[in-house]
Amino acid sequence: MSTQSLTETWPQSQPRSMTTQLKLAVILPLCAILMLQGVLALSLRNTVFQDEALYLYAGRQYYTQLIGGPVVAEPYARYFSGLPFLYPVIAGALDTYGGAELARLFSLLCMLITTTLIYDFTRRFFGQMSALLAAGLIAVGGPVLFISHFATYDAMCICLLFIGLTIASRAGLKYGLPWAIVLGTVLSFAVMTKYAALLFVPSVYAVFGWRLLQLYGWRKGLLHALVRGSLAGVVMIGIAMLIAFSNADVAEGLRFTTTARVAIFVLPRLEMLQRAFLLMGPIAILALVGLVATRRKNWLLNAILFGTVFLAPAYHIYKMEVVSMNKHMSFSILFAAPLAGYALTRLAKLDESTEPRLRWSIILAVGLAFFSLGFSQSQGFYTEWPNSSDLTTMLKTQVRPDGHILAEDSEVPRYYLQNIVGFWQWNNLYTFSYIDAKGTALSGETAYKAAIHAGYWDVIVFNYGASSAMAHAIDGELLTQTNYTLVTKIPFNSYFGAGEYWVWHKKG
């Protein structure tokens, strides 16, 4: 029974304090769930990830430009998976005043809002108990906890997407066409925040159409769905085109990171399927149980939700791309939660002859299993990249404000050292051009070797990770010529196992 129905059926002669107690009895469990999600997310600890460092660094540059600083020269829009002047500006401003932790807290806020929105959505269509159980499953989901304390586009994108879902599911008589305009605007901002949201926008529009059909009936509802859906789509496309035409790099970034993305770390599809099952399989099974249990009740809505659960894993399995899979499975968990919560509610009832204590013992056992799995997953995700504290401390003694630095993964040390060295001082192993002493323009491996031979960089840092092929191709220049000396090797652990940062410094 929903909160509204509970309060409406409560005798009007009852004291106001009784109604207040009833509302508190409904709200307090949700608050406890949100607190659990917050505590678990905040318990995750590590230095910033490469993507976090990149977005925060770029965001600071855009924020500085916004308040009167220099114009950003780097074409971030060409390779960012969302508009660089949307989420990164917010994160960069927060980072300016409170560091990476404040930016991560913004992600937590976005995900707590999302949990609340899904609770409200589930309460209206599946009931109060289903809503609480759905929120509980979200709060302990491994991918959800991970992005709840992660300073990237994902949390803000998800929050906007589910604000759009809430708007779509609340479409009613008194809102009319303005509601469609708001929906189109919110979804456009979700997509601009992270282009991958395009995958889930059709599901939100489908819920919007379903709600209108439910309210008006098939004949009249279909007309309303076509008119309002078209208006929302026009608004969304119009905003997107306005952004794209105002900045040509945006279209290139969308193509490079999303629509024509080239997989970086390729795994066999069978292994990708296994990974997907470990991340979202249990809640998907519960969602299937919920889908079957609902039978004909809101069957179209349930089918939309259940189908959306498999969009993210299907994309990754098709592309054989493991990068960002941990984050994207959170979309699956969130769309599965309402049906999974309903499944647990039905499981709690089981059979009328079943002892109530046994019912709730089963629910508790399921909850503890999800908690154990989700929390351990989130902790594992948060230790996949090296802790860079020792490297940062060491580099502070080596870098200077007027030298050049070559770092295999430059984003993280560049972020932590931004108050000491400037953007122009950094190079990485992705691309490099160099003009040698004879005036010859060089690029790629030849350019790196010539620059090392000439002592161009003051400090060089290799960790033999994603760019290990180039690192191995050019490190012979460091080992065989006398311009550089190996200062130290700093050990670290990551998803790929144990490794070392090799730090060279130019002699003299």
Side-chain angles (χ1 to χ4, degrees):
M1 184 177 292
S2 67
T3 307
Q4 184 179 3
S5 61
L6 281 170
T7 55
E8 285 178 353
T9 56
W10 195 262
Q12 297 299 314
S13 60
Q14 293 294 327
R16 185 178 298 272
S17 61
M18 297 292 288
T19 304
T20 302
Q21 291 175 6
L22 181 61
K23 290 180 178 179
L24 287 175
V26 172
I27 293 173
L28 287 178
L30 175 62
C31 292
I33 290 171
L34 295 177
M35 287 181 63
L36 174 64
Q37 182 177 344
V39 169
L40 294 178
L42 291 175
S43 69
L44 304 175
R45 295 292 177 195
N46 201 349
T47 54
V48 297
F49 180 59
Q50 186 175 357
D51 289 352
E52 290 183 292
L54 177 60
Y55 300 149
L56 293 175
Y57 190 87
R60 273 205 180 195
Q61 289 186 311
Y62 280 108
Y63 176 69
T64 301
Q65 175 184 323
L66 191 64
I67 59 177
V71 176
V72 178
E74 176 72 10
Y76 291 113
R78 292 183 185 176
Y79 56 88
F80 271 22
S81 55
L83 291 185
F85 35 84
L86 188 53
Y87 168 78
V89 175
I90 298 172
L94 294 171
D95 180 70
T96 299
Y97 300 107
E101 192 59 33
L102 188 59
R104 286 173 169 177
L105 284 175
F106 175 72
S107 294
L108 177 58
L109 175 63
C110 289
M111 292 309 297
L112 292 177
I113 292 172
T114 300
T115 301
T116 305
L117 291 172
I118 296 175
Y119 162 84
D120 177 70
F121 176 90
T122 309
R123 178 186 60 81
R124 286 185 289 114
F125 297 111
F126 297 94
Q128 175 67 26
M129 182 56 67
S130 298
L132 288 173
L133 292 171
L137 291 172
I138 292 169
V140 298
V144 173
L145 288 174
F146 177 50
I147 63 171
S148 293
H149 198 216
F150 200 57
T152 58
Y153 302 113
D154 301 271
M156 179 174 167
C157 169
I158 284 173
C159 185
L160 289 169
L161 190 66
F162 279 90
I163 289 174
L165 182 66
T166 300
I167 293 171
S169 65
R170 285 186 174 274
L173 295 171
K174 65 179 181 179
Y175 299 107
L177 295 179
W179 210 231
I181 296 174
V182 173
L183 176 62
T185 303
V186 169
L187 291 180
S188 69
F189 274 92
V191 172
M192 289 188 295
T193 300
K194 184 179 175 74
Y195 303 140
L198 280 167
L199 189 63
F200 306 96
V201 165
S203 297
V204 178
Y205 278 125
V207 171
F208 188 49
W210 165 81
R211 185 59 174 155
L212 292 172
L213 291 175
Q214 186 189 52
L215 290 171
Y216 293 97
W218 281 95
R219 182 177 298 179
K220 192 175 180 181
L222 186 60
L223 177 62
H224 278 281
L226 288 173
V227 172
R228 298 190 195 182
S230 298
L231 178 59
V234 167
V235 170
M236 180 179 166
I237 294 171
I239 294 175
M241 292 181 65
L242 180 64
I243 297 295
F245 282 119
S246 65
N247 191 328
D249 291 341
V250 171
E252 173 62 20
L254 174 62
R255 186 199 66 80
F256 179 74
T257 65
T258 308
T259 58
R261 180 185 177 92
V262 177
I264 300 173
F265 294 108
V266 177
L267 291 178
R269 289 195 171 95
L270 180 58
E271 187 173 344
M272 294 295 297
L273 180 62
Q274 292 171 342
R275 284 174 176 265
F277 182 80
L278 288 174
L279 293 172
M280 46 76 68
I283 197 168
I285 292 172
L286 275 181
L288 176 60
V289 173
L291 178 68
V292 174
T294 54
R295 297 179 183 176
R296 296 181 180 180
K297 181 182 178 183
N298 295 333
W299 66 269
L300 185 55
L301 172 64
N302 302 336
I304 294 168
L305 293 175
F306 188 72
T308 308
V309 171
F310 300 96
L311 292 179
Y315 171 82
H316 278 274
I317 292 169
Y318 169 73
K319 298 288 287 187
M320 296 187 292
E321 171 68 279
V322 71
V323 172
S324 295
M325 189 176 188
N326 295 349
K327 297 186 297 178
H328 293 164
M329 291 305 101
S330 60
F331 289 87
S332 297
I333 291 172
L334 295 169
F335 277 101
L339 286 170
Y342 182 74
L344 287 177
T345 302
R346 293 300 300 267
L347 183 63
K349 294 179 181 178
L350 293 176
D351 187 278
E352 292 195 4
S353 61
T354 306
E355 179 70 26
R357 290 183 181 179
L358 177 59
R359 301 178 195 172
W360 288 107
S361 296
I362 294 173
I363 295 298
L364 181 61
V366 172
L368 288 175
F370 271 86
F371 170 83
S372 177
L373 176 64
F375 189 47
S376 63
Q377 283 181 342
S378 65
Q379 288 180 313
F381 299 154
Y382 229 73
T383 57
E384 286 186 353
W385 64 92
N387 186 300
S388 59
S389 298
D390 292 340
L391 176 65
T392 302
T393 301
M394 194 275 167
L395 288 179
K396 286 180 180 179
T397 67
Q398 302 294 315
V399 299
R400 299 292 181 267
D402 57 351
H404 295 88
I405 309 155
L406 174 64
E408 182 176 341
D409 295 324
S410 61
E411 292 85 358
V412 174
R414 184 182 65 177
Y415 166 76
Y416 281 115
L417 300 173
Q418 61 188 302
N419 294 327
I420 302 175
V421 293
F423 175 85
W424 59 270
Q425 296 178 248
W426 292 92
N427 295 110
N428 53 45
L429 295 184
Y430 303 136
T431 180
F432 177 64
S433 298
Y434 181 72
I435 300 176
D436 65 13
K438 297 179 181 179
T440 305
L442 305 173
S443 62
E445 181 181 331
T446 306
Y448 285 112
K449 288 181 177 180
I452 292 173
H453 187 74
Y456 176 75
W457 290 291
D458 296 275
V459 179
I460 297 177
V461 183
F462 289 164
N463 58 282
Y464 300 96
S467 302
S468 60
M470 181 61 75
H472 283 299
I474 65 177
D475 64 1
E477 290 294 320
L478 294 168
L479 298 172
T480 59
Q481 56 93 31
T482 58
N483 282 343
Y484 292 88
T485 181
L486 181 63
V487 178
T488 186
K489 291 189 288 185
I490 303 173
F492 66 80
N493 289 290
S494 72
Y495 172 79
F496 299 99
E500 292 177 316
Y501 290 110
W502 293 55
V503 183
W504 285 273
H505 195 281
K506 186 171 65 175
K507 294 180 180 179

